[in-house]
């Protein structure tokens, strides 16, 4: 499968716990994006990387969120001290600039 | 704040009809425009991209762009029940390629 891959597909966690998601982009794509989507809304931009550099982070993103893309390959998104409001679908997308972005299957997070 | 507006629907059309989905955007600097299809519980799937004024056709799909009116649309000809999904309009300004999405329009194609 040469598409964008995200793991895990589903995550249920207790409030206050830390969670980490992984994204493996399409191999030749140098840009990687994280979005968050809640029910009835379009995806909302969180952050993006060009190769290993994190070039932009949404002002809506609290300090509890951090993302990395070591060596410009896969990326991880960590949420510390999860809150119920963090429950959402977390989507990763990649593109070869300038080009269309392709999304992975998403990680659905439920905070209980 | 850059905004992308779509009618939330639901838009209901009979099988075989033309479905017309509309989108307006606020940033005149926007350069690239995309339509994504999203089935319930799934991730968005890119179906069309358009970069210049006019029409772009791909199979049963036609995207139309009018930058002067800040308007982009998607026509689906010969609609099929399998086209039933939420259609997301997305726009970027070309500076960093991040996308701003509308809330999506739910399309239902009735057999």
């Amino acid at each position: 499968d040469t598409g964008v891959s995200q793991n895990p597909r589903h995550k249920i966690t207790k409030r206050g716990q830390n969670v980490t998601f992984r994204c493996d982009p399409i191999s030749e794509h140098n840009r990687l994006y994280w979005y968050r989507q809640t029910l009835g809304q379009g995806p909302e931009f969180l952050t993006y990387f060009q190769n290993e550099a994190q070039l932009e982070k949404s002002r809506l993103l609290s300090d509890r969120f951090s993302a990395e893309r070591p060596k410009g390959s896969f990326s991880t998104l960590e949420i510390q001290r999860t809150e119920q409001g963090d429950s959402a679908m977390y989507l990763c997308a990649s593109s070869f600039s300038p080009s269309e972005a392709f999304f992975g299957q998403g990680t659905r997070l439920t905070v209980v | 704040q850059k905004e992308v507006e779509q009618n939330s629907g639901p838009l209901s059309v009979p099988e075989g009809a033309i479905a017309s989905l509309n989108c307006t955007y606020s940033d005149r600097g926007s350069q690239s425009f995309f339509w994504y299809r999203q089935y319930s519980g799934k991730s968005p799937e890119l179906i069309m991209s358009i970069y210049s004024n006019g029409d772009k056709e791909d199979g049963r799909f036609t995207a139309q762009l009018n930058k002067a009116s800040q308007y982009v649309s998607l026509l689906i000809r010969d609609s099929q029940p399998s086209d039933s999904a939420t259609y997301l309009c997305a726009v970027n300004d070309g500076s960093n390629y991040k996308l701003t999405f509308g809330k999506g329009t739910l399309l239902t194609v009735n057999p």
Side-chain angles (χ1 to χ4, degrees):
Chain A
D1 187 354
T2 57
V4 179
S5 178
Q6 292 188 246
N7 286 288
R9 297 289 302 278
H10 303 275
K11 179 71 176 178
I12 301 174
T13 190
K14 292 183 179 179
R15 189 172 50 189
Q17 298 295 303
N18 299 344
V19 294
T20 299
F21 310 141
R22 177 179 171 125
C23 172
D24 288 272
I26 295 170
S27 59
E28 62 268 27
H29 285 183
N30 61 342
R31 287 180 180 255
L32 185 148
Y33 311 80
W34 286 98
Y35 290 82
R36 176 173 62 191
Q37 187 177 26
T38 54
L39 193 64
Q41 303 295 315
E44 174 187 43
F45 170 77
L46 294 179
T47 189
Y48 91 102
F49 294 83
Q50 183 169 349
N51 299 313
E52 66 275 10
Q54 186 175 19
L55 297 185
E56 186 170 345
K57 185 175 177 181
S58 170
R59 287 186 294 250
L60 300 175
L61 210 58
S62 78
D63 291 341
R64 297 184 296 105
F65 288 72
S66 63
E68 294 182 341
R69 191 184 182 195
K71 302 179 182 179
S73 56
F74 71 92
S75 175
T76 58
L77 177 68
E78 181 183 17
I79 309 173
Q80 297 181 326
R81 304 181 302 282
T82 53
E83 302 172 355
Q84 286 191 321
D86 297 331
S87 295
M89 174 81 88
Y90 289 83
L91 296 162
C92 176
S94 70
S95 70
F96 182 74
S97 60
S99 184
E100 302 97 341
F102 296 91
F103 283 86
Q105 316 96 310
T107 295
R108 183 169 298 281
L109 173 67
T110 302
V111 182
V112 297
Chain B
Q1 182 174 349
K2 300 173 184 178
E3 294 183 346
V4 177
E5 299 288 339
Q6 295 181 254
N7 289 328
S8 62
L11 173 64
S12 183
V13 301
E15 183 175 356
I18 296 175
S20 178
L21 304 161
N22 304 317
C23 172
T24 59
Y25 58 94
S26 63
D27 182 12
R28 285 195 171 273
S30 300
Q31 296 186 8
S32 305
F33 308 86
F34 307 92
W35 284 99
Y36 285 82
R37 177 175 63 197
Q38 187 172 29
Y39 293 113
S40 181
K42 303 297 185 182
S43 64
E45 174 191 9
L46 180 66
I47 55 172
M48 288 289 285
S49 59
I50 187 166
Y51 304 97
S52 56
N53 282 329
D55 295 358
K56 178 182 178 182
E57 185 174 320
D58 184 0
R60 295 186 296 112
F61 299 98
T62 298
Q64 300 174 316
L65 174 61
N66 183 326
K67 290 187 178 180
S69 300
Q70 296 175 243
Y71 175 88
V72 59
S73 67
L74 178 70
L75 300 178
I76 307 175
R77 291 181 300 281
D78 188 24
S79 295
Q80 300 297 309
S82 59
D83 294 326
S84 297
T86 295
Y87 289 80
L88 296 162
C89 174
V91 173
N92 76 40
D93 62 10
S95 63
N96 56 27
Y97 308 107
K98 73 178 184 183
L99 297 172
T100 301
F101 283 86
K103 292 184 178 181
T105 297
L106 176 62
L107 172 66
T108 301
V109 180
N110 301 304

